[in-house]
Amino acid sequence: MITQLKNEVPSVAEQIYNVFQCAYKIEALLIKVEHFPPLSRTQHAIVRSNALFYGFYYESTLAGVIEITVKNKCLSIESLTVHPRYFKKGIAGKLIAHALTLHTYNKAIVETAVANTPAINLYKKHGFSEYKQWLPAHGILKTAMQIEVH
């Protein structure tokens, strides 16, 4: 079941934080980096975030989280994480589909590491196409993907 999460509630932010930490540790291994910026995000930052968080519950456990912002008819996927215990169950795809059908937008965007082939393939499956690559200051080559709606 997917539901909007009240990230401003500390106990909910803690659950989101725990999913982020577990998932991003695996992503850091996948893309072969020692310092992965999402791992430094704090629970307090999640509480203060103005983004919308949606969670996928597997039984009564928060198994996956998508974080989005919508501004000027542009939907931005800020983060998408699934707890490793729940990998390969279609949760990430369900969260993407939910976010894309729940909001009105002209363009949807997402960024990920070029080395994160599973994420790139998943976004392509949902209609995203790559439009640029760049190397930010943290040194992890990234790609940006988008869907444009006319």
Side-chain angles (χ1 to χ4, degrees):
M1 175 176 80
I2 297 174
T3 186
Q4 187 167 352
L5 301 173
K6 296 181 183 296
N7 60 292
E8 68 278 7
V9 175
S11 61
V12 174
E14 181 180 12
Q15 291 177 48
I16 294 168
Y17 174 81
N18 289 336
V19 172
F20 280 4
Q21 288 293 301
C22 292
Y24 284 135
K25 285 176 185 171
I26 299 297
E27 186 174 351
L29 291 171
L30 174 75
I31 64 175
K32 297 178 173 68
V33 295
E34 287 185 30
H35 175 68
F36 192 44
L39 283 168
S40 18
R41 188 172 187 190
T42 65
Q43 184 178 327
H44 186 63
I46 294 167
V47 168
R48 291 192 341 252
S49 175
N50 291 322
L52 300 170
F53 290 81
Y54 297 93
F56 184 98
Y57 282 87
Y58 191 87
E59 296 171 356
S60 61
T61 302
L62 183 61
V65 177
I66 191 167
E67 174 186 9
I68 65 167
T69 57
V70 182
K71 185 176 179 183
N72 299 325
K73 296 223 175 192
C74 180
L75 184 150
S76 178
I77 298 174
E78 304 296 334
S79 62
L80 173 63
T81 56
V82 174
H83 191 287
R85 208 175 316 143
Y86 302 99
F87 281 179
K88 305 288 185 193
K89 296 187 182 300
I91 293 170
K94 289 174 184 166
L95 285 165
I96 293 169
H98 183 77
L100 293 178
T101 56
L102 197 61
H103 297 277
T104 303
Y105 57 91
N106 293 333
K107 179 165 65 171
I109 59 173
V110 67
E111 300 172 359
T112 192
V114 168
N116 193 345
T117 307
I120 292 169
N121 291 338
L122 177 65
Y123 289 121
K124 284 181 178 177
K125 182 178 172 184
H126 286 273
F128 285 84
S129 57
E130 295 180 72
Y131 70 94
K132 74 174 181 177
Q133 289 187 0
W134 74 102
L135 186 62
H138 56 58
I140 301 167
L141 186 61
K142 294 189 79 173
T143 187
M145 304 178 77
Q146 69 181 0
I147 297 174
E148 290 192 80
V149 179
H150 301 285

